Amino acid sequence: MECLGPKCAELLLQWLRDRAAEGSGGPSPGGEGDRDRGRTVQGMLWSSVPYNDEAPAIRSEAELEGAFEHLEYAVFRRFENQLTRAERARLDNTIRNVLYKIERYAARLPGPEGPEVERRRRLIQEAVAEAREKAERLRLQARRADLKLAQLDSLSPEGFEEFVAELFEAIGYEVDRVGGTGDEGADLRVTRNGLRGVVQCKYHKKGVVGSPELQKFLGTIHHTGCHKGFFVTTRTFSLAAERFASDHPIELVDGPRLVELVREAMGPGATKEPEPAWF
């Protein structure tokens, strides 16, 4: 368990003074009450022990707390980070192993303690199942986006919009398709971690996107009350358009950037295909 800040340092220093006083046989600077306080602080600072993956079983409450801390960290790292296939497999094994050991430990506890430990274990197990289902859904969306990436030169504008929607979903956004008549330049609305964004999809086979289109899009961002806008195209942007976007909440996504986003969604270890011929 990690303890940070000046308060922790003060408590640790007091505990060290108490231990030194006990070794010399003399009273601690603060008296008997401070010595008892030091013992209490020691218990607070080291209420768990590091989890040992090689140990066959959990043997104490301190080891149990260490196992829960290790499990929560492993779950976070497994489902909130971009990992290689080997890293994912290693963390999956760790999660299964810790859950099994906690289940065995809970079964040996007397009275109401066992059911409480099992309740904590089940909550984490359910969170793992939910995170795994979400990760698999995003993985499939990323694969569909990757397949469409090589076919963009043959997509219709509607197909391109669908591709962009799947791509934003694959990188963690919630997507609402609002394109069509009266869309006011907003083809998609996206949200992630409190950020509200609007996406305009422009399927261009020739030419560049200039600043007049971005000026109009800025009005859409303000009108929809969004924090940011994403202007997505298969082509490139003019220098004037790039300068305009740098001064406003607009992210430009051109052909090469689309490839980068698909690779990001696929994760480490994805096969690097030749870049599409349309840029």
Side-chain angles (χ1 to χ4, degrees):
M1 179 179 297
E2 190 174 354
C3 185
L4 301 174
K7 184 63 175 177
C8 182
E10 177 186 345
L11 297 177
L12 180 59
L13 181 59
Q14 181 62 50
W15 179 78
L16 292 172
R17 287 171 178 165
D18 291 340
R19 300 291 73 75
E22 289 179 358
S24 63
S28 64
E32 193 66 32
D34 281 349
R35 184 180 301 171
D36 292 339
R37 178 172 173 269
R39 295 193 184 100
T40 302
V41 168
Q42 179 187 10
M44 292 170 58
L45 291 175
W46 288 277
S47 60
S48 66
V49 298
Y51 172 74
N52 181 7
D53 196 43
E54 302 299 325
I58 297 171
R59 296 165 296 181
S60 68
E61 184 176 350
E63 289 186 5
L64 174 67
E65 291 306 315
F68 271 117
E69 290 176 3
H70 185 82
L71 178 60
E72 290 169 355
Y73 172 73
V75 172
F76 174 83
R77 186 161 184 267
R78 169 63 178 86
F79 296 106
E80 299 296 333
N81 292 276
Q82 292 279 0
L83 303 172
T84 65
R85 182 178 300 178
E87 288 171 330
R88 291 196 298 269
R90 189 158 53 246
L91 285 170
D92 284 339
N93 288 335
T94 294
I95 292 169
R96 283 193 296 267
N97 188 33
V98 182
L99 285 171
Y100 174 68
K101 288 182 183 178
I102 293 175
E103 183 179 23
R104 289 181 60 192
Y105 181 81
R108 299 196 304 268
L109 289 175
E113 297 179 20
E116 174 60 21
V117 171
E118 176 62 14
R119 184 190 69 81
R120 291 175 63 188
R121 187 195 72 85
R122 284 189 177 276
L123 285 175
I124 296 179
Q125 188 175 41
E126 290 170 2
V128 169
E130 183 178 342
R132 196 180 304 281
E133 180 181 349
K134 178 182 177 181
E136 179 63 17
R137 184 174 67 254
L138 295 181
R139 187 184 69 84
L140 292 176
Q141 288 173 335
R143 290 187 64 182
R144 287 198 299 268
D146 190 50
L147 290 174
K148 287 183 179 179
L149 181 64
Q151 305 170 354
L152 284 188
D153 59 340
S154 61
L155 288 180
S156 64
E158 293 76 18
F160 178 65
E161 183 178 313
E162 182 180 344
F163 158 75
V164 174
E166 289 184 349
L167 179 56
F168 270 84
E169 287 178 346
I171 58 177
Y173 285 90
E174 295 182 13
V175 179
D176 180 25
R177 296 187 63 176
V178 294
T181 304
D183 65 4
E184 298 179 330
D187 297 314
L188 308 171
R189 295 196 185 191
V190 297
T191 56
R192 186 175 70 178
N193 299 329
L195 170 72
R196 298 191 308 276
V198 62
V199 182
Q200 185 169 123
C201 306
K202 286 295 182 182
Y203 186 76
H204 288 282
K205 289 192 175 183
K206 295 181 180 180
V208 296
V209 177
S211 60
E213 291 183 80
L214 296 188
Q215 293 171 17
K216 185 183 298 184
F217 182 48
L218 181 62
T220 299
I221 298 172
H222 294 322
H223 180 74
T224 56
C226 291
H227 300 107
K228 184 176 182 178
F230 300 86
F231 198 105
V232 186
T233 179
T234 52
R235 301 309 301 174
T236 58
F237 296 93
S238 68
L239 181 59
E242 292 179 352
R243 287 174 176 170
F244 182 84
S246 67
D247 294 329
H248 297 91
I250 300 176
E251 181 171 337
L252 304 181
V253 182
D254 58 8
R257 180 58 179 152
L258 279 172
V259 175
E260 292 177 0
L261 289 176
V262 170
R263 299 305 170 214
E264 176 185 326
M266 293 290 289
T271 303
K272 183 69 174 70
E273 299 292 342
E275 292 181 344
W278 36 264
F279 68 86

